[in-house]
Amino acid sequence: MARFVTTKDIVIPAGTEVDFAPVRTEYFTRHGEALIGFDKDTTGSLRFDWEEAEQLGLIQERADG
């Protein structure tokens, strides 16, 4: 079980542009990833810079550890 959770709903508005992801991605800072279920067979992910997410109050440590 993940130690951290989101603190706010994350909304992706209809009409948001979508493009193919790079074949290889390299990060130089710590990043987090939230898995998103679109339906029973399809998932996606949202990646974010960890430090920025903490500063913005978008993630926090689980209350139950």
Side-chain angles (χ1 to χ4, degrees):
M1 181 170 19
R3 283 188 39 214
F4 288 81
V5 295
T6 58
T7 59
K8 301 176 183 178
D9 291 340
I10 298 170
V11 177
I12 302 171
T16 297
E17 292 186 19
V18 176
D19 205 343
F20 291 106
V23 174
R24 180 171 184 248
T25 304
E26 189 171 328
Y27 296 103
F28 297 102
T29 60
R30 187 174 182 199
H31 273 66
E33 180 175 73
L35 296 178
I36 303 166
F38 296 113
D39 64 25
K40 68 181 186 75
D41 298 319
T42 308
T43 61
S45 63
L46 170 67
R47 291 188 180 169
F48 50 86
D49 180 275
W50 193 272
E51 186 176 320
E52 287 179 358
E54 284 185 313
Q55 289 174 353
L56 293 170
L58 298 176
I59 59 173
Q60 70 180 18
E61 194 159 4
R62 292 179 74 96
D64 57 5

